[in-house]
Amino acid sequence: MTDCLFCKIVAGDIPAALVAETDHVIAFRDIAPKAPLHVLVVPRTHVANVTEAAAQIPEVLAEMVAVAQQVADAETGGEYRLIFNTGEGAGQSVFHVHGHVLGGKHLAWENA
Ligand code: 5GP
Ligand code: ZN
């Protein structure tokens, strides 16, 4: 997709602080971190959200979870929260599926 921010990061046209990559997935630091660890895990292929990812590229979605675990293993002793905002009303602003990997502090649950 030509007008997709995360496709541009995947292509290297927009710089990002990469922390991990595989054949199908990249992980880079969120530009506005909400926790000491805040990394975005993104497939190289453009799909809009986690529902489409599960239907169209399930193996890659599983790889995204494995990469999230690897990042957490390296940075937070293996503990993390993985969030997929789905739809504008749920906070999604970039419509190229991405898992937010959050951790590195006690994460409250009550208002999640
Ligand atoms: P969403 O709101 O769609 O769930 O998440 C999009 C995330 O992308 C936000 O947390 C936002 O801070 C992050 N973001 C937006 N623009 C950029 C950028 O240019 N570079 C990086 N690394 N993160 C970005
Ligand atoms: Zn895209």
Side-chain angles (χ1 to χ4, degrees):
M1 265 209 145
T2 51
D3 204 26
C4 169
L5 175 63
F6 288 172
C7 282
K8 288 176 183 163
I9 288 177
V10 167
D13 295 339
I14 291 177
L18 276 185
V19 295
E21 60 181 323
T22 68
D23 284 351
H24 305 290
V25 174
I26 67 169
F28 53 91
R29 298 201 189 279
D30 195 291
I31 205 166
K34 302 221 168 8
L37 171 64
H38 189 171
V39 160
L40 302 175
V41 179
V42 173
R44 294 184 189 275
T45 305
H46 182 94
V47 297
N49 58 47
V50 70
T51 306
E52 283 192 7
Q56 295 173 21
I57 50 168
E59 297 87 356
V60 177
L61 181 58
E63 201 168 308
M64 290 164 66
V65 176
V67 169
Q69 182 68 60
Q70 278 170 27
V71 171
D73 286 345
E75 300 202 20
T76 66
E79 298 188 331
Y80 65 101
R81 181 174 292 171
L82 182 57
I83 294 177
F84 292 91
N85 295 329
T86 305
E88 222 171 314
Q92 188 175 9
S93 61
V94 179
F95 290 83
H96 178 136
V97 64
H98 49 282
H100 294 259
V101 184
L102 297 160
K105 68 170 186 182
H106 178 77
L107 296 171
W109 178 240
E110 292 76 16
N111 299 310

XYZ file of all heavy atoms in Angstrom:
856
model
N 0.855 -1.216 0.000
C 0.000 0.000 0.000
C 0.876 1.246 0.000
O 1.773 1.379 0.826
C -0.870 0.008 1.259
C -2.244 -0.568 1.075
S -3.338 0.216 2.227
C -4.838 0.285 1.314
N 0.632 2.157 -0.903
C 1.518 3.312 -1.048
C 1.326 4.328 0.063
O 2.267 5.015 0.438
C 1.280 3.993 -2.404
O -0.118 4.222 -2.543
C 1.778 3.135 -3.539
N 0.116 4.431 0.597
C -0.139 5.497 1.557
C -0.261 4.979 2.986
O -1.012 5.534 3.777
C -1.405 6.265 1.158
C -1.375 7.663 1.747
O -0.253 8.174 1.984
O -2.459 8.222 2.001
N 0.475 3.928 3.292
C 0.386 3.325 4.626
C 1.701 3.564 5.374
O 2.779 3.187 4.891
C 0.108 1.831 4.505
S 0.288 0.954 6.055
N 1.588 4.174 6.545
C 2.773 4.502 7.343
C 3.623 3.259 7.634
O 4.856 3.293 7.494
C 2.317 5.148 8.662
C 3.394 5.466 9.689
C 4.375 6.497 9.153
C 2.763 5.941 10.993
N 2.976 2.163 8.034
C 3.774 0.996 8.429
C 4.327 0.260 7.212
O 5.404 -0.338 7.296
C 2.973 0.080 9.360
C 2.776 0.674 10.745
C 1.934 0.062 11.666
C 3.421 1.846 11.132
C 1.749 0.606 12.933
C 3.240 2.404 12.395
C 2.398 1.776 13.301
N 3.648 0.314 6.056
C 4.266 -0.205 4.825
C 5.537 0.586 4.512
O 6.543 0.014 4.070
C 3.294 -0.145 3.657
S 2.062 -1.467 3.643
N 5.508 1.898 4.759
C 6.692 2.728 4.494
C 7.824 2.385 5.458
O 9.003 2.376 5.077
C 6.332 4.213 4.586
C 5.497 4.677 3.407
C 5.071 6.125 3.559
C 4.168 6.542 2.395
N 3.423 7.763 2.684
N 7.487 2.082 6.717
C 8.520 1.661 7.675
C 9.072 0.293 7.263
O 10.291 0.085 7.266
C 7.961 1.673 9.115
C 7.778 3.135 9.578
C 8.865 0.898 10.067
C 7.170 3.303 10.953
N 8.197 -0.630 6.869
C 8.647 -1.956 6.399
C 9.599 -1.802 5.215
O 10.636 -2.477 5.135
C 7.434 -2.842 6.017
C 7.885 -4.067 5.231
C 6.649 -3.265 7.255
N 9.272 -0.880 4.311
C 10.092 -0.681 3.103
C 11.385 0.067 3.390
O 12.262 0.144 2.533
C 9.275 0.072 2.063
N 11.490 0.661 4.589
C 12.679 1.443 4.924
C 12.599 2.882 4.448
O 13.579 3.622 4.524
N 11.438 3.305 3.972
C 11.275 4.675 3.485
C 11.109 5.674 4.628
O 11.363 6.870 4.461
C 10.060 4.775 2.550
C 10.263 3.959 1.282
O 11.434 3.673 0.945
O 9.259 3.593 0.642
N 10.637 5.194 5.770
C 10.550 6.016 6.979
C 11.358 5.282 8.046
O 11.176 4.070 8.225
C 9.080 6.198 7.429
C 8.331 7.076 6.418
C 8.997 6.793 8.830
C 6.867 7.254 6.718
N 12.276 5.990 8.720
C 13.111 5.303 9.705
C 12.334 4.899 10.955
O 11.351 5.538 11.326
C 14.181 6.355 10.051
C 13.614 7.669 9.635
C 12.600 7.418 8.571
N 12.803 3.816 11.574
C 12.225 3.361 12.840
C 13.321 2.641 13.606
O 14.282 2.138 13.004
C 11.043 2.431 12.582
N 13.168 2.600 14.926
C 14.148 1.919 15.774
C 13.779 0.439 15.837
O 12.980 0.002 16.674
C 14.156 2.551 17.159
N 14.387 -0.333 14.940
C 14.086 -1.770 14.851
C 14.654 -2.511 16.056
O 15.788 -2.251 16.471
C 14.723 -2.357 13.596
C 14.000 -2.254 12.257
C 14.777 -3.024 11.202
C 12.578 -2.774 12.353
N 13.881 -3.435 16.601
C 14.400 -4.268 17.698
C 14.441 -5.748 17.320
O 15.148 -6.519 17.961
C 13.622 -4.063 19.012
C 13.808 -2.643 19.526
C 12.150 -4.377 18.855
N 13.685 -6.145 16.298
C 13.707 -7.544 15.860
C 13.127 -7.608 14.454
O 12.320 -6.752 14.066
C 12.878 -8.419 16.798
N 13.551 -8.610 13.704
C 12.910 -8.846 12.409
C 13.061 -10.297 12.010
O 14.014 -10.976 12.395
C 13.446 -7.907 11.324
C 14.909 -7.994 11.022
C 15.308 -6.989 9.925
O 14.517 -6.770 8.987
O 16.414 -6.454 10.011
N 12.062 -10.780 11.264
C 12.087 -12.115 10.675
C 11.722 -11.946 9.194
O 11.512 -10.821 8.731
C 11.061 -13.046 11.346
O 9.742 -12.591 11.009
C 11.216 -13.072 12.864
N 11.592 -13.062 8.495
C 11.209 -12.976 7.083
C 9.853 -12.288 6.905
O 9.605 -11.635 5.896
C 11.119 -14.374 6.463
C 12.491 -14.952 6.190
O 13.488 -14.220 6.322
O 12.572 -16.149 5.871
N 8.967 -12.444 7.895
C 7.580 -11.986 7.730
C 7.175 -10.838 8.645
O 6.088 -10.270 8.466
C 6.625 -13.161 7.988
C 6.911 -14.350 7.142
N 6.673 -14.377 5.795
C 7.465 -15.547 7.440
C 7.045 -15.540 5.296
N 7.537 -16.265 6.270
N 8.006 -10.511 9.638
C 7.596 -9.607 10.723
C 8.728 -8.647 11.057
O 9.907 -9.030 11.012
C 7.273 -10.455 11.988
C 6.973 -9.572 13.194
C 6.098 -11.398 11.711
N 8.371 -7.389 11.381
C 9.364 -6.501 11.992
C 8.810 -5.975 13.314
O 7.591 -5.900 13.508
C 9.791 -5.324 11.084
C 8.647 -4.339 10.851
C 10.349 -5.829 9.759
C 9.108 -3.034 10.183
N 9.718 -5.602 14.214
C 9.343 -5.015 15.498
C 10.182 -3.761 15.697
O 11.400 -3.785 15.495
C 9.585 -6.013 16.628
N 9.504 -2.668 16.052
C 10.215 -1.397 16.241
C 9.570 -0.616 17.373
O 8.415 -0.847 17.733
C 10.225 -0.564 14.946
C 8.857 -0.335 14.336
C 8.108 0.777 14.684
C 8.332 -1.230 13.415
C 6.855 0.999 14.122
C 7.070 -1.024 12.849
C 6.341 0.087 13.200
N 10.339 0.313 17.946
C 9.846 1.064 19.106
C 8.770 2.065 18.695
O 8.900 2.740 17.677
C 11.000 1.785 19.806
C 12.020 0.795 20.326
C 12.894 1.338 21.440
N 13.956 0.368 21.693
C 13.821 -0.734 22.439
N 12.696 -0.978 23.065
N 14.819 -1.592 22.586
N 7.714 2.128 19.520
C 6.662 3.121 19.287
C 7.253 4.513 19.494
O 8.043 4.746 20.412
C 5.495 2.877 20.247
C 4.242 3.623 19.816
O 4.229 4.872 19.886
O 3.273 2.953 19.413
N 6.859 5.444 18.633
C 7.403 6.799 18.686
C 6.911 7.564 19.926
O 7.552 8.533 20.348
C 7.033 7.549 17.377
C 8.007 8.659 17.085
C 5.600 8.049 17.397
C 7.909 9.205 15.664
N 5.815 7.131 20.524
C 5.242 7.795 21.715
C 4.965 6.736 22.777
O 3.808 6.368 23.017
C 3.972 8.542 21.329
N 6.036 6.210 23.410
C 5.864 5.048 24.293
C 4.965 5.309 25.495
O 5.030 6.350 26.116
C 7.299 4.726 24.740
C 8.108 5.942 24.431
C 7.424 6.648 23.301
N 4.118 4.322 25.782
C 3.191 4.414 26.916
C 3.666 3.574 28.101
O 2.998 3.509 29.137
C 1.809 3.949 26.472
C 1.251 4.746 25.305
C -0.185 5.044 25.470
C -0.759 6.073 24.510
N 0.092 6.532 23.423
N 4.813 2.925 27.954
C 5.402 2.112 29.023
C 6.895 2.033 28.724
O 7.318 2.333 27.595
C 4.772 0.714 29.025
N 7.719 1.628 29.706
C 9.164 1.521 29.448
C 9.467 0.630 28.235
O 10.383 0.926 27.463
C 9.706 0.921 30.745
C 8.742 1.377 31.801
C 7.397 1.375 31.123
N 8.727 -0.458 28.089
C 8.781 -1.245 26.845
C 7.506 -0.960 26.068
O 6.392 -1.211 26.562
C 8.863 -2.746 27.158
C 8.712 -3.668 25.926
C 9.852 -3.481 24.943
C 8.605 -5.125 26.357
N 7.656 -0.397 24.880
C 6.504 -0.202 23.978
C 7.015 -0.380 22.550
O 7.581 0.539 21.945
C 5.866 1.174 24.166
C 4.554 1.314 23.420
N 3.726 2.399 23.585
C 3.930 0.506 22.524
C 2.656 2.256 22.806
N 2.762 1.121 22.151
N 6.821 -1.583 22.075
C 7.295 -1.977 20.745
C 6.082 -2.366 19.912
O 5.102 -2.922 20.442
C 8.309 -3.145 20.883
C 8.483 -3.912 19.590
C 9.650 -2.622 21.396
N 6.124 -2.068 18.635
C 5.063 -2.465 17.701
C 5.559 -3.644 16.869
O 6.666 -3.586 16.313
C 4.694 -1.295 16.789
C 4.222 -0.033 17.519
C 4.012 1.106 16.515
C 2.940 -0.289 18.301
N 4.754 -4.696 16.817
C 5.081 -5.883 16.027
C 4.157 -5.887 14.811
O 2.924 -5.840 14.960
C 4.909 -7.165 16.865
C 5.238 -8.391 16.026
C 5.789 -7.116 18.092
N 4.759 -5.913 13.624
C 4.043 -5.600 12.380
C 4.406 -6.632 11.307
O 5.593 -6.924 11.117
C 4.483 -4.182 11.908
C 3.919 -3.842 10.547
C 4.100 -3.128 12.943
N 3.422 -7.158 10.586
C 3.768 -8.033 9.457
C 4.265 -7.211 8.276
O 3.858 -6.058 8.097
C 2.427 -8.708 9.109
C 1.400 -7.706 9.516
C 1.973 -6.975 10.719
N 5.151 -7.801 7.493
C 5.622 -7.093 6.287
C 4.489 -6.926 5.278
O 4.466 -5.971 4.501
C 6.790 -7.861 5.657
C 8.038 -7.887 6.545
C 9.194 -8.585 5.838
N 10.316 -8.809 6.741
C 11.271 -7.912 6.996
N 11.248 -6.726 6.421
N 12.262 -8.207 7.833
N 3.534 -7.856 5.288
C 2.365 -7.808 4.395
C 1.319 -6.857 4.970
O 1.075 -6.858 6.181
C 1.732 -9.210 4.319
O 2.731 -10.136 3.926
C 0.573 -9.264 3.348
N 0.679 -6.084 4.088
C -0.367 -5.176 4.555
C -1.694 -5.902 4.739
O -2.293 -6.373 3.779
C -0.571 -4.016 3.567
C -1.614 -3.044 4.049
N -1.299 -1.909 4.768
C -2.967 -3.072 3.973
C -2.407 -1.286 5.095
N -3.430 -1.966 4.627
N -2.143 -5.997 5.989
C -3.546 -6.330 6.281
C -4.006 -5.336 7.334
O -3.197 -4.814 8.106
C -3.773 -7.787 6.754
C -3.401 -8.788 5.679
C -3.038 -8.073 8.039
N -5.310 -5.040 7.373
C -5.787 -3.879 8.120
C -5.805 -4.095 9.630
O -5.539 -3.160 10.398
C -7.183 -3.490 7.640
N -6.143 -5.293 10.068
C -6.365 -5.471 11.517
C -6.171 -6.941 11.888
O -5.919 -7.787 11.024
C -7.755 -4.952 11.920
C -8.862 -5.668 11.155
O -8.858 -6.889 11.054
N -9.788 -4.909 10.595
N -6.305 -7.215 13.186
C -5.978 -8.565 13.672
C -6.969 -9.608 13.160
O -6.606 -10.774 12.962
C -5.859 -8.572 15.220
C -7.204 -8.376 15.901
C -5.174 -9.843 15.707
N -8.207 -9.197 12.910
C -9.197 -10.138 12.380
C -8.807 -10.582 10.976
O -8.856 -11.782 10.645
C -10.594 -9.491 12.360
O -10.880 -8.994 13.672
C -11.656 -10.481 11.946
N -8.397 -9.595 10.154
C -7.929 -9.936 8.798
C -6.655 -10.767 8.857
O -6.464 -11.687 8.062
C -7.666 -8.661 7.977
C -8.922 -8.010 7.467
C -8.651 -6.924 6.435
O -7.488 -6.755 5.999
O -9.612 -6.232 6.077
N -5.787 -10.447 9.803
C -4.544 -11.217 9.931
C -4.857 -12.676 10.272
O -4.274 -13.599 9.694
C -3.645 -10.588 10.996
N -5.771 -12.883 11.205
C -6.121 -14.257 11.604
C -6.707 -15.035 10.433
O -6.458 -16.231 10.277
C -7.104 -14.218 12.770
N -7.492 -14.346 9.596
C -8.146 -15.022 8.476
C -7.196 -15.235 7.302
O -7.257 -16.268 6.629
C -9.361 -14.206 8.019
N -6.332 -14.243 7.056
C -5.561 -14.250 5.800
C -4.111 -14.714 5.968
O -3.536 -15.291 5.054
C -5.574 -12.851 5.172
C -6.973 -12.421 4.733
C -7.023 -10.971 4.269
O -6.004 -10.403 3.900
N -8.200 -10.374 4.310
N -3.508 -14.404 7.129
C -2.089 -14.750 7.325
C -1.885 -15.296 8.750
O -1.111 -14.757 9.540
C -1.164 -13.526 7.054
C -1.623 -12.265 7.807
C -1.058 -13.254 5.563
C -0.591 -11.122 7.806
N -2.610 -16.405 9.086
C -2.563 -16.898 10.469
C -1.167 -17.290 10.932
O -0.809 -17.064 12.101
C -3.521 -18.088 10.468
C -3.688 -18.474 9.028
C -3.513 -17.206 8.244
N -0.350 -17.841 10.027
C 1.004 -18.237 10.440
C 1.840 -16.997 10.785
O 2.670 -17.029 11.695
C 1.718 -19.027 9.338
C 1.059 -20.350 8.983
C -0.042 -20.229 7.929
O -0.358 -19.079 7.513
O -0.605 -21.263 7.533
N 1.594 -15.925 10.048
C 2.340 -14.694 10.321
C 1.861 -14.072 11.639
O 2.660 -13.542 12.415
C 2.205 -13.697 9.144
C 2.909 -12.389 9.458
C 2.759 -14.312 7.868
N 0.574 -14.178 11.917
C 0.058 -13.685 13.203
C 0.717 -14.458 14.354
O 1.136 -13.861 15.353
C -1.464 -13.820 13.244
C -2.158 -13.319 14.504
C -1.863 -11.842 14.774
C -3.673 -13.534 14.403
N 0.855 -15.750 14.196
C 1.539 -16.551 15.216
C 2.999 -16.107 15.348
O 3.547 -16.044 16.461
C 1.448 -18.037 14.875
N 3.624 -15.788 14.228
C 5.012 -15.308 14.257
C 5.103 -13.958 14.975
O 6.073 -13.690 15.692
C 5.526 -15.195 12.815
C 7.024 -15.197 12.686
C 7.453 -15.372 11.225
O 6.997 -16.324 10.560
O 8.242 -14.540 10.749
N 4.079 -13.103 14.800
C 4.064 -11.823 15.510
C 4.057 -12.048 17.023
O 4.743 -11.345 17.767
C 2.838 -11.002 15.090
C 2.913 -10.475 13.660
S 1.310 -9.909 13.028
C 0.983 -8.505 14.090
N 3.285 -13.037 17.471
C 3.242 -13.332 18.906
C 4.603 -13.863 19.367
O 5.109 -13.477 20.431
C 2.114 -14.338 19.233
C 2.139 -14.711 20.710
C 0.753 -13.757 18.846
N 5.220 -14.709 18.562
C 6.541 -15.238 18.925
C 7.568 -14.108 19.012
O 8.413 -14.101 19.924
C 6.977 -16.297 17.904
N 7.507 -13.150 18.096
C 8.437 -12.023 18.131
C 8.155 -11.151 19.367
O 9.092 -10.684 20.030
C 8.359 -11.203 16.819
C 9.109 -9.892 16.947
C 8.917 -12.019 15.658
N 6.885 -10.948 19.696
C 6.546 -10.195 20.919
C 7.192 -10.862 22.132
O 7.779 -10.193 22.997
C 5.027 -10.127 21.093
N 7.106 -12.187 22.191
C 7.710 -12.919 23.310
C 9.227 -12.747 23.325
O 9.821 -12.538 24.394
C 7.335 -14.408 23.212
C 7.875 -15.255 24.353
C 7.199 -14.921 25.683
O 5.994 -15.057 25.815
N 7.981 -14.472 26.664
N 9.837 -12.813 22.157
C 11.307 -12.633 22.070
C 11.723 -11.264 22.588
O 12.710 -11.132 23.319
C 11.768 -12.718 20.614
C 11.958 -14.121 20.085
C 12.182 -14.101 18.558
O 12.671 -13.119 18.008
N 11.802 -15.165 17.895
N 10.982 -10.226 22.198
C 11.299 -8.862 22.636
C 11.147 -8.773 24.156
O 12.009 -8.228 24.857
C 10.397 -7.836 21.917
C 10.563 -6.455 22.520
C 10.695 -7.814 20.421
N 10.069 -9.327 24.674
C 9.861 -9.300 26.121
C 10.923 -10.127 26.852
O 11.403 -9.719 27.918
C 8.460 -9.808 26.459
N 11.303 -11.250 26.290
C 12.377 -12.054 26.903
C 13.647 -11.217 27.032
O 14.348 -11.279 28.045
C 12.680 -13.302 26.062
C 11.611 -14.366 26.182
O 10.774 -14.289 27.105
O 11.604 -15.286 25.331
N 13.916 -10.423 25.982
C 15.156 -9.639 25.965
C 15.077 -8.432 26.897
O 16.098 -7.989 27.432
C 15.450 -9.174 24.537
N 13.866 -7.884 27.116
C 13.793 -6.569 27.767
C 13.051 -6.539 29.102
O 13.257 -5.626 29.891
C 13.157 -5.551 26.808
C 13.980 -5.419 25.515
C 13.753 -4.105 24.785
O 13.275 -3.138 25.414
O 14.072 -4.060 23.590
N 12.171 -7.498 29.340
C 11.357 -7.424 30.569
C 11.246 -8.762 31.284
O 10.288 -8.993 32.021
C 9.926 -6.918 30.254
O 9.270 -7.903 29.453
C 9.920 -5.591 29.547
N 12.186 -9.651 31.047
C 12.110 -10.950 31.722
C 10.968 -11.812 31.229
O 10.557 -12.758 31.910
N 10.419 -11.485 30.058
C 9.421 -12.357 29.434
C 7.976 -11.987 29.697
O 7.073 -12.634 29.172
N 7.735 -10.917 30.510
C 6.351 -10.533 30.805
C 5.960 -9.360 29.927
O 6.724 -8.411 29.735
C 6.219 -10.145 32.279
C 6.538 -11.315 33.202
C 6.234 -11.002 34.655
O 6.316 -9.812 35.034
O 5.904 -11.939 35.395
N 4.755 -9.403 29.390
C 4.320 -8.322 28.489
C 2.814 -8.358 28.319
O 2.151 -9.353 28.594
C 4.995 -8.456 27.116
C 4.605 -9.700 26.337
C 3.669 -9.623 25.310
C 5.149 -10.948 26.640
C 3.304 -10.750 24.594
C 4.783 -12.077 25.932
C 3.861 -11.970 24.919
O 3.492 -13.092 24.227
N 2.293 -7.241 27.845
C 0.892 -7.162 27.407
C 0.907 -6.940 25.900
O 1.684 -6.123 25.393
C 0.181 -6.001 28.112
C -1.287 -5.869 27.729
C -1.980 -4.800 28.561
N -2.084 -5.212 29.952
C -2.493 -4.410 30.936
N -2.815 -3.151 30.681
N -2.558 -4.850 32.180
N 0.030 -7.656 25.188
C -0.043 -7.550 23.734
C -1.437 -7.046 23.358
O -2.436 -7.704 23.665
C 0.226 -8.929 23.113
C 0.254 -9.036 21.597
C 1.288 -8.097 20.978
C 0.549 -10.476 21.191
N -1.478 -5.862 22.736
C -2.765 -5.214 22.431
C -2.884 -4.983 20.929
O -1.955 -4.476 20.292
C -2.872 -3.859 23.166
C -2.936 -4.073 24.670
C -4.089 -3.071 22.679
C -2.980 -2.791 25.475
N -4.045 -5.326 20.400
C -4.385 -5.019 19.006
C -5.614 -4.114 19.010
O -6.745 -4.599 19.173
C -4.716 -6.299 18.232
C -3.556 -7.223 18.017
C -3.268 -8.222 18.937
C -2.745 -7.102 16.893
C -2.198 -9.089 18.743
C -1.669 -7.966 16.689
C -1.392 -8.959 17.616
N -5.411 -2.813 18.890
C -6.558 -1.923 18.758
C -7.206 -2.203 17.403
O -6.517 -2.267 16.380
C -6.113 -0.464 18.848
C -5.550 -0.118 20.221
O -5.970 -0.683 21.222
N -4.600 0.787 20.263
N -8.518 -2.363 17.403
C -9.221 -2.758 16.177
C -10.410 -1.837 15.964
O -11.417 -1.937 16.668
C -9.659 -4.240 16.269
O -8.507 -5.037 16.552
C -10.269 -4.715 14.959
N -10.246 -0.892 15.031
C -11.287 0.103 14.762
C -10.962 1.414 15.453
O -10.353 1.438 16.529
N -11.393 2.496 14.795
C -11.084 3.842 15.283
C -11.568 4.069 16.711
O -10.845 4.629 17.540
C -11.755 4.855 14.353
C -10.895 6.043 14.017
C -11.529 6.883 12.923
O -11.996 6.312 11.915
O -11.560 8.103 13.110
N -12.775 3.602 16.993
C -13.346 3.799 18.327
C -12.596 3.053 19.413
O -12.701 3.391 20.600
N -11.831 2.044 19.027
C -11.023 1.282 19.980
C -9.587 1.788 20.031
O -8.736 1.188 20.684
C -11.048 -0.201 19.618
N -9.315 2.892 19.315
C -7.996 3.498 19.397
C -7.074 3.205 18.235
O -5.912 3.611 18.255
N -7.564 2.510 17.210
C -6.682 2.221 16.069
C -6.538 3.465 15.195
O -7.540 4.058 14.774
C -7.228 1.049 15.233
C -6.244 0.603 14.149
C -6.703 -0.636 13.390
O -7.831 -1.099 13.539
N -5.819 -1.173 12.567
N -5.287 3.858 14.947
C -5.037 5.029 14.103
C -4.232 4.669 12.857
O -4.210 5.436 11.901
C -4.310 6.119 14.896
O -3.058 5.645 15.363
N -3.569 3.522 12.869
C -2.828 3.055 11.690
C -3.472 1.732 11.270
O -3.500 0.776 12.055
C -1.329 2.856 11.996
C -0.598 2.342 10.767
C -0.697 4.163 12.492
N -3.956 1.694 10.025
C -4.763 0.550 9.599
C -3.924 -0.474 8.835
O -4.290 -0.943 7.758
C -6.000 1.058 8.848
C -6.943 1.739 9.813
C -6.755 3.071 10.179
C -7.946 1.026 10.449
C -7.573 3.681 11.119
C -8.775 1.622 11.391
C -8.584 2.954 11.724
N -2.790 -0.782 9.445
C -1.900 -1.893 9.075
C -1.676 -2.603 10.409
O -1.123 -1.997 11.344
C -0.606 -1.330 8.482
C 0.437 -2.348 8.092
N 1.139 -2.280 6.902
C 0.929 -3.437 8.747
C 2.001 -3.280 6.833
N 1.902 -4.000 7.954
N -2.134 -3.833 10.496
C -2.197 -4.495 11.810
C -0.861 -4.400 12.546
O 0.214 -4.550 11.958
C -2.644 -5.973 11.681
C -1.659 -6.812 10.905
C -2.899 -6.572 13.058
N -0.962 -4.132 13.851
C 0.235 -4.058 14.692
C -0.152 -4.449 16.106
O -1.182 -4.025 16.614
C 0.853 -2.653 14.678
C -0.143 -1.560 14.926
N -0.997 -1.112 13.951
C -0.435 -0.858 16.046
C -1.766 -0.161 14.447
N -1.459 0.008 15.719
N 0.690 -5.261 16.726
C 0.518 -5.578 18.135
C 1.379 -4.627 18.946
O 2.558 -4.426 18.654
N 0.747 -4.004 19.961
C 1.517 -3.189 20.906
C 2.067 -4.124 21.975
O 1.294 -4.769 22.692
C 0.618 -2.164 21.603
C 0.044 -1.107 20.718
N 0.558 0.169 20.657
C -1.025 -1.116 19.883
C -0.159 0.901 19.815
N -1.133 0.151 19.337
N 3.380 -4.202 22.101
C 4.014 -5.004 23.148
C 4.406 -4.036 24.256
O 5.265 -3.168 24.070
C 5.262 -5.728 22.620
C 5.843 -6.640 23.693
C 4.949 -6.502 21.347
N 3.734 -4.176 25.398
C 3.920 -3.239 26.510
C 4.463 -3.983 27.716
O 4.054 -5.122 27.991
C 2.577 -2.598 26.886
C 1.934 -1.741 25.794
C 0.443 -1.564 26.068
C 2.610 -0.384 25.728
N 5.342 -3.326 28.456
C 5.854 -3.947 29.673
C 6.912 -3.079 30.314
O 7.082 -1.909 29.960
N 7.594 -3.664 31.284
C 8.672 -2.955 31.948
C 8.231 -2.155 33.143
O 9.032 -1.447 33.766
N 6.946 -2.231 33.483
C 6.432 -1.638 34.716
C 5.193 -2.443 35.099
O 4.688 -3.243 34.290
C 6.073 -0.171 34.517
C 4.886 0.066 33.605
C 4.418 1.529 33.626
C 3.137 1.705 32.820
N 2.663 3.075 32.760
N 4.679 -2.202 36.308
C 3.425 -2.867 36.665
C 2.315 -2.274 35.810
O 2.117 -1.052 35.800
C 3.110 -2.687 38.146
C 1.800 -3.322 38.512
N 1.662 -4.688 38.667
C 0.578 -2.789 38.682
C 0.393 -4.961 38.943
N -0.280 -3.823 38.957
N 1.619 -3.105 35.076
C 0.557 -2.623 34.189
C -0.784 -2.807 34.889
O -1.215 -3.934 35.131
C 0.582 -3.401 32.871
C 1.844 -3.221 32.021
C 1.853 -4.210 30.861
C 1.946 -1.796 31.502
N -1.436 -1.685 35.202
C -2.748 -1.768 35.837
C -3.733 -2.421 34.869
O -3.596 -2.312 33.652
C -3.218 -0.367 36.207
N -4.712 -3.096 35.403
C -5.670 -3.804 34.558
C -7.053 -3.158 34.618
O -7.796 -3.177 33.639
C -5.738 -5.259 35.027
C -6.717 -6.113 34.279
C -7.790 -6.787 34.775
C -6.705 -6.381 32.856
N -8.425 -7.447 33.769
C -7.800 -7.225 32.595
C -5.883 -5.984 31.812
C -8.099 -7.685 31.304
C -6.176 -6.438 30.523
C -7.271 -7.277 30.290
N -7.354 -2.500 35.730
C -8.733 -2.046 35.986
C -9.288 -1.168 34.863
O -10.447 -1.290 34.486
C -8.809 -1.244 37.302
C -8.563 -2.084 38.553
C -7.083 -2.425 38.761
O -6.216 -1.784 38.124
O -6.804 -3.349 39.535
N -8.455 -0.260 34.320
C -8.967 0.674 33.317
C -8.438 0.365 31.915
O -8.413 1.244 31.062
C -8.587 2.103 33.695
C -9.206 2.476 35.034
O -10.389 2.284 35.240
N -8.386 2.958 35.949
N -8.008 -0.861 31.712
C -7.405 -1.207 30.419
C -8.427 -1.109 29.279
O -9.594 -1.244 29.481
C -6.842 -2.609 30.466
P -2.816 2.516 17.054
O -3.286 3.839 17.603
O -3.177 2.401 15.580
O -3.207 1.315 17.847
O -1.230 2.554 17.155
C -0.424 3.294 16.305
C 0.856 3.542 17.040
O 1.824 3.973 16.123
C 0.751 4.637 18.118
O 1.054 4.090 19.392
C 1.764 5.695 17.659
O 2.462 6.282 18.740
C 2.662 4.914 16.738
N 3.242 5.696 15.679
C 2.617 6.621 14.905
N 3.469 7.128 13.993
C 4.659 6.484 14.195
C 5.933 6.590 13.533
O 6.148 7.338 12.586
N 6.930 5.798 14.016
C 6.740 4.937 15.064
N 7.772 4.210 15.461
N 5.539 4.817 15.697
C 4.521 5.590 15.257
Zn 0.550 -1.155 5.305
